[in-house]
Amino acid sequence: MTAVQLDSRTPATAVRSPAELGAAAVTLARRLAADVVVDGRGAPQWMGDEIDLAAGADGSALRTGSVDDGLLTGRAGIALALAAAARHAGDESLAQLAQATLADVLDSRRTVRRGQLGWQSGDLGIAIAAERIADLLGRPDLAGRGRGLAARAVAALATADDSWLPGYADLLDGAAGHLLAVLAAALPLSAEPHRAAAAERLVCDLRNRAVVDVCGARWPMADGDRAVTGLAHGSSGIGLALLAAHAAGISAADRTLTDAAWTWEDAGYGAEDGGWYDLRLDEPMIGLAWCHGAPGIGIAAALRSRIGEVDRAGTEETYLRALCSIERARRELPDDPGDDATLCHGRSGVVELHLAGAEAAWSTDAAAREEHRRAARYEASVIASGIEADGTARWRHGVREGRSPAVLDGTAGVVLTLLRCAGPLASVAHPPLRLR
């Protein structure tokens, strides 16, 4: 792979060292810990803003409340960020808060509930958090509890009636996200027979929901008939899940349908405009977010290169398109520490794009891998420059100018991104996959 070059402009921000980025992450994590509130049961909670759908159809009104228990959306992900920072800094107070938070989340999930099984905010994502926190903090008991939670979720997906299926296709809490989490979940041996059955069922659900024509395979979003490109809700994430299922030997996973998902993705690319269109919009603009744009599509391409027998040249071409789309936008917009810094729709997603490039199957040249890592550290340095000494952040996060402590669109995700640049740490922005 050709070495990636940082933008030819004079950098507005000095590239910080891994140690400096780790220190910034710990400062931010301590601010996140300071924001904890204790509920009437004595359990740790965090407050966040979300769109209040009852207040109006335009989605401009926000309401503030406790976050949920999820990996990407709530307390499990916050606990993971605190645990990673605790491990990095040797901070026992952060470790204790992470453990107490996860323990309370697991206590609240003693029985499976319809609609609360997925990767984004349900039991399978929480089980992933438990496994990783257990490894970070040396708490195998937490891993055992997480595996029990995953086993119950997988059993429900394998044996319960169709009302337990998510009812839509996307990567977050849809069938694709459930499928990847089922394939990747750490399970007790007694639960293994349910894994293949649950995966087969989810693959069949995705096949039944697909719309296939000369433009490729696409899936309507959860809230309507519109199909989009991108990782979160489009064919990039859904195709990735189907490819992983095929590589795992799930008989219902058809490579023809998987390849048709990439055809739809390619059809959404506008060469003259230099990116993929955000098809949620009536007048589509180029998407520049992990969820609906180049970062997520590029990450999916890098992950595809590491799964089974795939067209590595094709995945590299898609990745380079994504990288060029971001670099084109960077030339037009100056670096601003006040920009959105989140994984979902901000600069942390771009950090993950570069790190995914360094980890891709085609990245066999050490110089090219290091240039990707340096580009990631540059983007992370812009984020870190917006963190004050007390952990207050100048950059935007949340939605509609709201605030979020969570992984997907808030502070916890930024902590994890900065720590990814400081040393070895598995990404939460990547869908759950067992990769070689």
Side-chain angles (χ1 to χ4, degrees):
M1 180 176 179
T2 304
V4 176
Q5 300 296 320
L6 288 172
D7 197 295
S8 59
R9 297 172 299 159
T10 300
T13 304
V15 179
R16 300 192 183 193
S17 69
E20 290 170 322
L21 292 171
V26 172
T27 297
L28 192 60
R30 287 172 176 153
R31 177 71 262 170
L32 182 60
D35 289 338
V36 69
V37 294
V38 178
D39 68 12
R41 300 179 298 111
Q45 302 283 350
W46 280 264
M47 307 300 289
D49 297 324
E50 62 181 4
I51 294 174
D52 186 354
L53 297 177
D58 64 355
S60 61
L62 299 178
R63 63 181 178 87
T64 301
S66 299
V67 300
D68 64 22
D69 286 339
L71 171 62
L72 299 188
T73 53
R75 291 196 297 160
I78 293 170
L80 177 57
L82 295 175
R87 173 70 175 268
H88 183 85
D91 188 319
E92 184 59 27
S93 65
L94 290 178
Q96 290 178 357
L97 180 55
Q99 292 171 33
T101 302
L102 180 63
D104 189 68
V105 169
L106 292 171
D107 283 344
S108 73
R109 318 291 287 204
R110 293 186 180 277
T111 60
V112 292
R113 285 166 281 188
R114 188 182 288 104
Q116 297 188 33
L117 304 178
W119 169 54
Q120 176 183 231
S121 58
D123 290 347
L124 288 166
I126 293 167
I128 290 170
E131 196 77 21
R132 295 189 183 182
I133 292 169
D135 182 60
L136 287 165
L137 301 182
R139 287 288 305 272
D141 57 312
L142 294 175
R145 293 185 66 188
R147 291 173 188 177
L149 181 64
R152 293 192 294 272
V154 172
L157 290 168
T159 63
D161 64 62
D162 286 350
S163 68
W164 284 77
L165 297 177
Y168 54 97
D170 74 24
L171 182 73
L172 295 181
D173 272 343
H178 281 63
L179 174 59
L180 284 175
V182 164
L183 294 172
L187 298 175
L189 187 60
S190 60
E192 282 294 341
H194 284 133
R195 190 194 301 271
E200 290 275 1
R201 193 176 186 192
L202 289 161
V203 169
C204 289
D205 187 66
L206 288 172
R207 289 177 58 182
N208 292 337
R209 294 182 184 281
V211 177
V212 184
D213 57 24
V214 294
C215 295
R218 59 193 183 275
W219 287 262
M221 291 179 64
D223 58 356
D225 296 330
R226 187 168 296 194
V228 298
T229 58
L231 183 60
H233 307 294
S235 293
S236 301
I238 298 165
L240 184 66
L242 290 169
L243 180 64
H246 178 79
I250 303 304
S251 61
D254 182 352
R255 276 300 301 267
T256 301
L257 182 61
T258 305
D259 291 342
W262 316 140
T263 301
W264 170 254
E265 177 185 87
D266 288 342
Y269 180 78
E272 290 186 0
D273 293 321
W276 287 266
Y277 297 111
D278 186 341
L279 299 178
R280 295 172 300 173
L281 308 176
D282 292 331
E283 297 182 4
M285 298 173 58
I286 295 300
L288 295 171
W290 175 92
C291 56
H292 284 282
I297 292 171
I299 289 168
L303 292 173
R304 281 161 49 198
S305 76
R306 301 170 63 190
I307 302 175
E309 298 299 323
V310 298
D311 176 11
R312 291 188 178 179
T315 58
E316 183 177 3
E317 179 183 359
T318 298
Y319 179 86
L320 290 173
R321 280 180 172 181
L323 198 63
C324 289
S325 181
I326 295 299
E327 290 178 343
R328 176 174 176 168
R330 288 284 181 265
R331 287 193 294 271
E332 297 172 0
L333 296 170
D335 291 334
D336 181 356
D339 284 346
D340 191 307
T342 64
L343 281 170
C344 186
H345 36 69
R347 196 176 293 268
S348 288
V350 179
V351 175
E352 287 289 350
L353 174 65
H354 283 294
L355 293 177
E359 297 162 355
W362 63 71
S363 283
T364 58
D365 179 76
R369 291 197 300 270
E370 179 52 33
E371 192 59 35
H372 272 298
R373 295 187 188 105
R374 183 170 181 270
R377 291 197 300 272
Y378 176 78
E379 297 289 347
S381 297
V382 177
I383 295 171
S385 68
I387 301 173
E388 307 291 355
D390 65 352
T392 302
R394 285 184 280 148
W395 27 259
R396 299 192 307 278
H397 54 94
V399 294
R400 301 284 195 273
E401 305 301 322
R403 307 294 287 177
S404 171
V407 166
L408 191 62
D409 63 356
T411 306
V414 179
V415 170
L416 290 165
T417 295
L418 294 175
L419 289 172
R420 286 260 291 157
C421 293
L425 183 68
S427 173
V428 180
H430 296 177
L433 289 166
R434 291 191 183 276
L435 295 171
R436 62 180 184 273

